[in-house]
Amino acid sequence: MNSDLFALIRGRVGAALAASAAAVPEDVLARIEVSPPREAAHGDMASNAAMVAAKAVGQPPRVLAETLARHLATAPEIAAAEVAGPGFLNIRLHPAALHAVIPAILAAGEAYGDATIGAGERVNVEYVSANPTGPMHIGHCRGAVVGDALANLLAKTGFAVTREYYVNDSGAQVTALAWAAYWRYLRAIGSDIAAEDFAARAPSGLQYRGEYLIPVGAALAEKFGRSLAAEDGGVAPPEMWFERVRDCAIAAMMAAIREDLDLLGVRPDVFASERELVASGAVEAVIARLAQAGLIYEGVLAPPKGKLPEDWEPREQTLFRATQFGDDVDRPLRKSDGSATYFANDIAYHADKIGRGFTTLIDVWGADHGGYVARMQAAIRALAGDRARFDVLLCQIVHVLKGGQPVRMSKRAGTFVTLRDLIEEVGRDVVRFIMLTRKSDAQMEFDLDQAVAETRENPVFYVQYAHARCRSVLRHAAEQGFPTTPEALAGVALDSLADAAELALIRRLAGWPRLVEGAARAFEPHRIAFFLYDLAGDFHILWNRGREAATLRFIQPERPAETGARLALVAATAMVIRSGLAVMGVAPVEEMR
RNA sequence: GCGCCCUUAGCUCAGUCGGAUAGAGCAACAGCCUUCUAAGCUGUGGGUCACUGGUUCGAAUCCAGUAGGGCGCGCCA
């Protein structure tokens, strides 16, 4: 059977429509849905087909629906189809059709729900891309998890996914990092130069004062001795030390970031270096391309409307005609010293991705970069027209709560919560799960107390608990001599599964492929978390029924046939939970401690 | 001032390319259980989907405007 029951029935509806009416346009067909009904009393599935197609067919919705219902009633899976409301088709399935979901799951394993909508299209998901200027903190964490889960989701639905991290190892922030590391170096070789005195001598002050650079200073002292300092152990001219210190500092920061990512279970396929990109000439090449296309000019931008910045003065700049591609203003590509802006580098980077053969580019950014989306969109349209699709997922800020109080984070005060701290406090799987319990563009509160609570309030616990219960049942059954392998359970008779709670659980399982596909199309990995929470709820209900009525327990030693059917259902449930957790990058637990 | 995102139950949030009587958890209230399958279970109340207008068979969903919140706004990345 088709392993997506909803897709199967949608096919039946399509066939019924083809048999009842003249050709219906493609765009109308595409709008036909077969979905779970809001009310369980409406049956197993509902379709809007008659309402959607009524106009094209030239019949009132209810009349068309009656015709479709008659055709549908002849389909082997369908027990009844009736018309309701303004023209809904309510479809009731034969129990056997629902039951067939279970062996399909057991046969497919974690691959149940895999789809082919990606058709092998090459997608590049760029996420995290934290500047290599310090350890990762909570602010980076959400984007890392969302990007990683999205990549998993797209891979599951047939896209050829590359996970990429863009290393901003060029520019002012990295220069500031080099100076900060140099200060730590001077301290390491015995200089007592104070932070304020050093800041006065560094071109952009001393921006990174965190203790995490102390080991970098020590390593520099170890490697270079006093050779990077002036005779008196003070600040030497940058030509003497800058590149070596910078490279060393970046390497140390990237090593730390990779460790942090690894703790989180994030392992990018590609680390793309901005500095290498610039060195390769790609930026000048892409500016030349745009110039050739007539999309660059020297001009003066109008000041922002409303209140004028204090230091505003008109300046002539090299501008990209972003307004031709939907942006509000044209955007500068060069600073006044002639060097490229970050935007110019980023255009070159995205052009590079397109050049590597990706046709869908997805960037996961912090919400503070929201104002940047339109110009990047414009640049990509200018370069690739409609040959490449570009989407940005903006991740809103995460507020951390402890004891009901917000945990204030300040780099300067040194109180920011690092990713490592967070993982050590609640665990990697909890971090990943919680980060996916909100739409990415909604603000989120991360309640440290709730994250480790063992109650229904904690979705991680609730879902893991359902999986552990499933596994526990299967372990007990195996001890009592019941077959519990997927192969064995895929062959058992399932007729006895007729309880309302059992059928509700099966319906939920049947919806997994549909959910996966929808989440992938919308780039919304958080839907997986909500689905698993609901699925866990359905399972827990069934489990609790057994507390009251012994005959509803999964294992019935005197009734091997019913037990087999229930074990198959339990095994299928565990499999779908595993499958969902795999997308989220969370490891399923076999038992609760 | 302009642009983007957001506004759904007391709280935190779901809500599928527009679909039927808008859902869940928490909190509140009322019962049950006091056990063994494992950290309780069942039920009830609670909504002008920020507001106003529009599109249509049908709008929380799309469009326009208003109010409130977040983010951003020429050589930071």
Side-chain angles (χ1 to χ4, degrees):
Chain A
M1 84 167 241
N2 186 329
S3 68
D4 181 349
L5 188 56
F6 282 90
L8 177 74
I9 300 303
R10 191 176 180 283
R12 298 294 188 206
V13 172
L17 186 58
S20 343
V24 177
E26 273 300 321
D27 61 318
V28 172
L29 289 177
R31 290 173 50 217
I32 292 176
E33 284 185 6
V34 171
S35 52
R38 205 195 301 279
E39 299 284 330
H42 291 157
D44 296 306
M45 295 183 180
S47 179
N48 62 353
M51 292 180 292
V52 168
K55 203 167 275 181
V57 171
Q59 291 178 29
R62 287 194 60 103
V63 173
L64 178 58
E66 291 291 350
T67 313
L68 295 180
R70 276 195 299 279
H71 276 98
L72 284 173
T74 65
E77 302 83 10
I78 296 176
E82 45 195 55
V83 181
F88 283 99
L89 282 163
N90 287 336
I91 298 167
R92 201 171 303 275
L93 301 176
H94 288 297
L98 281 174
H99 291 159
V101 168
I102 292 172
I105 294 170
L106 294 173
E110 281 189 33
Y112 175 62
D114 284 7
T116 56
I117 56 174
E121 182 181 348
R122 297 194 59 205
V123 178
N124 184 290
V125 184
E126 181 210 326
Y127 56 108
V128 196
S129 298
N131 290 338
T133 54
M136 292 187 60
H137 54 81
I138 289 186
H140 301 118
C141 176
R142 187 174 190 183
V145 172
V146 167
D148 207 46
L150 176 62
N152 292 342
L153 181 57
L154 294 176
K156 188 174 178 64
T157 48
F159 292 89
V161 180
T162 294
R163 300 136 199 275
E164 191 148 325
Y165 183 122
Y166 184 43
V167 185
N168 296 128
D169 50 4
S170 162
Q173 302 210 359
V174 163
T175 300
L177 172 75
W179 280 89
Y182 187 61
W183 178 59
R184 291 297 187 179
Y185 159 76
L186 293 179
R187 304 278 295 191
I189 61 168
S191 165
D192 56 359
I193 184 167
E196 291 315 320
D197 297 333
F198 184 87
R201 303 199 50 181
S204 49
L206 182 52
Q207 292 183 32
Y208 302 106
R209 302 186 181 200
E211 295 186 350
Y212 60 86
L213 286 173
I214 291 176
V216 177
L220 286 164
E222 173 93 4
K223 190 168 173 188
F224 297 105
R226 300 178 62 88
S227 67
L228 303 180
E231 290 292 321
D232 61 356
V235 178
E239 310 86 78
M240 285 180 57
W241 56 267
F242 183 80
E243 285 191 18
R244 274 177 284 193
V245 171
R246 179 195 63 195
D247 292 353
C248 211
I250 291 174
M253 293 305 103
M254 283 311 297
I257 286 171
R258 281 181 190 245
E259 270 183 45
D260 288 351
L261 287 174
D262 201 62
L263 284 178
L264 192 59
V266 172
R267 294 172 188 91
D269 301 311
V270 175
F271 285 86
S273 160
E274 181 182 8
R275 198 142 48 88
E276 286 174 20
L277 187 81
V278 172
S280 75
V283 178
E284 292 309 317
V286 87
I287 290 177
R289 256 179 80 188
L290 291 171
Q292 201 154 25
L295 297 173
I296 288 182
Y297 66 102
E298 301 295 320
V300 180
L301 285 176
K305 289 172 182 157
K307 64 175 179 200
L308 202 63
E310 292 284 323
D311 56 348
W312 176 270
E313 55 189 56
R315 260 188 227 114
E316 186 168 270
Q317 295 170 297
T318 301
L319 298 170
F320 161 61
R321 295 189 189 277
T323 47
Q324 283 193 14
F325 303 91
D327 200 359
D328 301 319
V329 290
D330 293 336
R331 304 290 180 176
L333 296 179
R334 291 189 194 281
K335 306 176 192 175
S336 54
D337 66 358
S339 65
T341 58
Y342 179 81
F343 178 47
N345 289 357
D346 220 9
I347 295 175
Y349 174 47
H350 285 80
D352 181 71
K353 290 194 229 179
I354 293 166
R356 279 184 276 147
F358 297 104
T359 48
T360 293
L361 309 183
I362 301 173
D363 286 7
V364 181
W365 293 350
D368 54 344
H369 290 61
Y372 199 77
V373 174
R375 79 188 66 173
M376 201 63 238
Q377 193 80 56
I380 287 168
R381 268 204 280 272
L383 289 170
D386 52 12
R387 296 195 311 281
R389 171 180 178 188
F390 175 65
D391 276 284
V392 177
L393 255 62
L394 292 180
C395 290
Q396 287 285 351
I397 196 163
V398 177
H399 296 289
V400 181
L401 294 181
K402 187 162 194 174
Q405 294 299 313
V407 177
R408 290 268 162 242
M409 280 184 283
S410 157
K411 268 196 177 180
R412 209 162 283 165
T415 60
F416 66 91
V417 182
T418 63
L419 176 60
R420 183 179 294 258
D421 292 338
L422 182 66
I423 290 174
E424 280 171 4
E425 178 132 358
V426 302
R428 178 184 88 180
D429 289 331
V430 170
V431 171
R432 291 192 64 125
F433 199 110
I434 301 267
M435 287 292 169
L436 291 167
T437 55
R438 293 286 179 274
K439 268 187 303 210
S440 61
D441 59 0
Q443 289 186 24
M444 171 162 120
E445 294 190 341
F446 193 117
D447 186 328
L448 291 173
D449 303 322
Q450 181 193 304
V452 295
E454 297 183 344
T455 67
R456 182 166 193 173
E457 289 172 70
N458 179 356
V460 195
F461 171 80
Y462 195 63
V463 170
Q464 289 284 29
Y465 190 21
H467 182 261
R469 276 180 159 171
C470 288
R471 303 299 300 170
S472 168
V473 168
L474 293 170
R475 279 194 304 272
H476 284 127
E479 283 166 16
Q480 294 176 37
F482 288 99
T484 56
T485 63
E487 296 75 23
L489 292 174
V492 303
L494 299 168
D495 312 307
S496 59
L497 295 177
D499 183 81
E502 290 170 335
L503 294 176
L505 179 57
I506 296 172
R507 284 189 201 96
R508 182 81 66 186
L509 296 172
W512 173 238
R514 185 173 182 275
L515 185 284
V516 168
E517 196 175 312
R521 284 189 197 280
F523 299 158
E524 290 188 347
H526 75 276
R527 293 190 195 180
I528 306 294
F530 284 94
F531 177 88
L532 291 185
Y533 186 76
D534 291 340
L535 171 59
D538 290 333
F539 178 76
H540 287 307
I541 286 171
L542 197 52
W543 174 287
N544 287 322
R545 297 277 303 275
R547 312 184 85 162
E548 291 153 25
T551 55
L552 281 172
R553 294 191 179 185
F554 298 112
I555 302 172
Q556 302 286 328
E558 308 304 318
R559 295 167 171 271
E562 291 186 7
T563 301
R566 288 175 182 171
L567 291 177
L569 175 57
V570 168
T573 302
M575 194 57 79
V576 172
I577 294 176
R578 296 178 83 85
S579 176
L581 290 177
V583 173
M584 300 174 74
V586 173
V589 301
E590 293 295 313
E591 52 189 333
M592 305 307 282
R593 265 194 292 255

